[in-house]
Amino acid sequence: MTKLRVDISQVNSFIGNQNWLAVQDEMHEYHRQLITHSGHGNDYLGWLNLPAELDNTLLERIKADAEKIRQMAELFVVIGIGGSYLGSKAVIEALGNPFEDLMGGSDYPYVVFAGENLSGSYHTHLMALLDKKEYAVAVISKSGITTEPAIAFRLIRQHIEAKYGKAEARKRIFAITDASRGALKKLSDTEGYSSYVIPDDVGGRYSVLTPVGLLPIAVAGFDVEALVNGAMNMRETALHSSDFNQNPCTHYAAARNLLYRSGKFVEILVAFEPGMQYMIEWWKQLFGESEGKERKGIFPAGVIFTCDLHSMGQYIQDGMRLLFETVISVGETSTPLVVPHDPENLDGLNFLSGMRLSEINRQAELGTMLAHVDGGVPNIKIIIPSINEYNLGQLIYFFEFACALSGYALGVNPFDQPGVEAYKKNMFALLGKPGFEKETASLRAKLSKP
Ligand code: PA5
């Protein structure tokens, strides 16, 4: 059963009933284009069927490799950037215990990330850690030629080969990349690494339900089958529910586009659970890279409340009225922790004695939503029953499907990212990459102007 729900009751007054009724036909058309593969970017729709088509042999192989890695490693280094790391990081952080390592670790390898930045100090600290720990590596790149992960892999490959010897290092390296193209594929074939394929028709930010996300998530000890089942269930609803009112994806896509058309250009994804921080980062990539093009698109931002109520809360309540919020509201948390009674009551908090923190958090969520709506910030609510693999699988597929619809509503191709090339060209030119001589000269001239 699809347990995720979307509540738009705090949006209606901002968009008007007429618009809400009118957008339904529009959404119906985008839904049709998506499921009949007749919209923009229709050669990148492999993700639509991923959860249903993921065969058991692949899942079994992922689980077997995860077990192998668990036997040989305390640390699992995931090298990748953008869609090649955010999905696994999001799920692992949402499900994990943030203090696990300080508690002495778990039975599963601790997953660390590399190649998602170019920081010398980050990678120096990481290499120092790798000196001390038993580890294995996944190097993930769909294109197989992305600079950041390629540099990190160069460093780590030298380290792992020096530490274990070439033959043993090969057993500890897993490559996840394109079936036939790219430098990583070539290297992996030459070295004989254990490798997984990212399907041609699945773009990076839509790849969490391929080995890109599933291998690291399985290594961290989480139930990848439940994650895929959750996604599969949402797929049924998203694909087959052409009734606008029964489909949470069309609802969300419609609401956010109507808000955008009314001048709400920034969407803030809000969670009241700190573990959801990277789910927000994954969502930011999904929507930002899919929609921000042709001088259009909703700017995706994110906050964790109540923490950020003490920083961004001021702007949201009182600043420029170009925002709307989407709250991931979690029905229940598993913690029974309550506020203790204090006979002295110096802090005046005895009215909360015996109350669960989760209940206080819920009232904070409600109070915040009412205050922000009063302040002119519309509020969409995405309700999931709890944070577990199944519900995260639903949430992931829900966002993917809604993002595709939403991109169509904006009139852009949600599956390309032409804008990402501009920084790469400049970076290569400034670094003196052969073939970029003209660009180097032009940038140097620009930089030397007073
Ligand atoms: O969504 C995307 O396509 C991008 O964010 C990519 O995931 C990111 O640029 C990394 O690319 P690659 O996996 O080819 O190294």
Side-chain angles (χ1 to χ4, degrees):
M1 207 181 88
T2 303
K3 296 176 179 166
L4 180 151
R5 286 193 303 115
V6 173
D7 177 353
I8 52 137
S9 54
Q10 300 303 321
V11 167
N12 293 348
S13 61
F14 294 89
I15 56 183
N17 207 33
Q18 271 313 92
N19 289 332
W20 185 244
L21 291 174
V23 83
Q24 301 192 8
D25 283 346
E26 216 188 299
M27 278 297 145
H28 196 78
E29 171 56 15
Y30 303 135
H31 186 270
R32 189 196 64 74
Q33 286 176 17
L34 187 59
I35 64 171
T36 56
H37 293 213
S38 54
H40 290 297
N42 56 22
D43 42 352
Y44 278 97
L45 294 181
W47 58 272
L48 268 176
N49 294 332
L50 265 182
E53 284 173 357
L54 204 72
D55 73 281
N56 256 345
T57 335
L58 179 62
L59 266 188
E60 288 311 316
R61 184 176 160 218
I62 287 172
K63 286 197 271 180
D65 275 343
E67 179 55 26
K68 219 188 285 169
I69 292 162
R70 187 165 83 92
Q71 297 297 334
M72 67 167 101
E74 311 163 79
L75 266 190
F76 189 51
V77 187
V78 175
I79 303 175
I81 195 165
S84 288
Y85 95 101
L86 278 166
S88 62
K89 183 149 172 129
V91 173
I92 291 167
E93 295 233 337
L95 296 172
N97 166 355
F99 306 115
E100 198 150 83
D101 211 33
L102 295 171
M103 297 281 290
S106 77
D107 291 344
Y108 295 93
Y110 192 78
V111 179
V112 294
F113 294 85
E116 85 291 18
N117 65 69
L118 286 168
S119 158
S121 68
Y122 179 90
H123 288 91
T124 304
H125 292 313
L126 176 62
M127 308 289 277
L129 179 68
L130 299 185
D131 284 342
K132 294 194 172 169
K133 302 278 184 185
E134 299 303 324
Y135 72 97
V137 179
V139 52
I140 308 178
S141 177
K142 166 114 202 273
S143 63
I145 53 164
T146 308
T147 311
E148 292 88 340
I151 291 176
F153 186 50
R154 231 187 219 220
L155 288 167
I156 291 169
R157 187 174 153 223
Q158 288 198 354
H159 187 279
I160 201 169
E161 288 179 354
K163 179 164 174 150
Y164 295 104
K166 262 193 154 226
E168 174 62 19
R170 279 193 196 108
K171 296 186 193 149
R172 289 173 177 263
I173 297 173
F174 296 78
I176 306 180
T177 189
D178 188 83
S180 56
R181 281 169 304 204
L184 180 57
K185 169 69 185 158
K186 218 167 169 185
L187 180 67
S188 164
D189 285 351
T190 314
E191 293 293 326
Y193 300 146
S194 187
S195 68
Y196 287 93
V197 169
I198 310 172
D200 260 356
D201 55 359
V202 179
R205 56 191 174 276
Y206 279 83
S207 68
V208 53
L209 298 170
T210 71
V212 170
L214 297 179
L215 181 66
I217 293 167
V219 170
F222 299 114
D223 184 347
V224 285
E225 235 160 320
L227 187 82
V228 172
N229 283 339
M232 186 134 68
N233 179 277
M234 179 54 73
R235 176 183 170 274
E236 281 303 304
T237 307
L239 238 70
H240 302 305
S241 210
S242 53
D243 177 354
F244 177 82
N245 287 311
Q246 298 302 316
N247 194 328
C249 305
T250 47
H251 255 211
Y252 175 51
R256 63 195 297 284
N257 273 283
L258 286 178
L259 288 168
Y260 174 69
R261 290 171 196 174
S262 76
K264 305 290 186 193
F265 299 133
V266 178
E267 177 176 14
I268 307 178
L269 189 65
V270 182
F272 282 74
E273 287 296 329
M276 295 296 272
Q277 176 102 49
Y278 267 86
M279 192 51 80
I280 292 175
E281 292 304 315
W282 171 83
W283 170 90
K284 274 161 65 178
Q285 189 215 359
L286 180 67
F287 281 82
E289 217 173 9
S290 300
E291 293 191 323
K293 41 197 78 154
E294 298 171 30
R295 302 293 185 259
K296 295 190 272 194
I298 300 169
F299 184 85
V303 290
I304 295 289
F305 288 165
T306 59
C307 176
D308 292 331
L309 284 170
H310 297 259
S311 55
M312 297 306 288
Q314 171 60 39
Y315 192 110
I316 297 169
Q317 186 69 51
D318 248 358
M320 228 169 122
R321 303 296 73 190
L322 42 60
L323 316 169
F324 66 97
E325 285 179 314
T326 297
V327 177
I328 302 177
S329 182
V330 182
E332 63 186 53
T333 57
S334 52
T335 51
L337 196 66
V338 297
V339 177
H341 183 74
D342 178 354
E344 290 176 23
N345 196 26
L346 288 177
D347 53 14
L349 288 179
N350 270 354
F351 72 102
L352 296 176
S353 295
M355 191 180 277
R356 283 184 180 216
L357 257 70
S358 54
E359 183 51 27
I360 300 172
N361 208 14
R362 181 182 318 286
Q363 297 310 322
E365 179 183 320
L366 199 57
T368 305
M369 185 265 282
L370 292 169
H372 289 179
V373 171
D374 276 351
V377 179
N379 186 293
I380 302 173
K381 207 173 187 178
I382 296 167
I383 304 151
I384 56 171
S386 60
I387 297 177
N388 60 26
E389 286 91 335
Y390 187 88
N391 293 331
L392 290 181
Q394 289 209 342
L395 187 65
I396 285 169
Y397 194 91
F398 160 80
F399 277 137
E400 289 179 346
F401 200 94
C403 182
L405 290 174
S406 208
Y408 285 176
L410 271 171
V412 299
N413 176 356
F415 306 110
D416 64 2
Q417 53 283 330
V420 179
E421 296 310 312
Y423 99 89
K424 290 186 191 165
K425 200 168 80 195
N426 284 354
M427 178 176 77
F428 290 146
L430 292 170
L431 289 169
K433 185 173 177 174
F436 285 77
E437 293 74 10
K438 242 171 66 195
E439 287 87 349
T440 308
S442 130
L443 287 180
R444 295 240 161 97
K446 228 184 238 178
L447 289 170
S448 65
K449 273 194 193 137

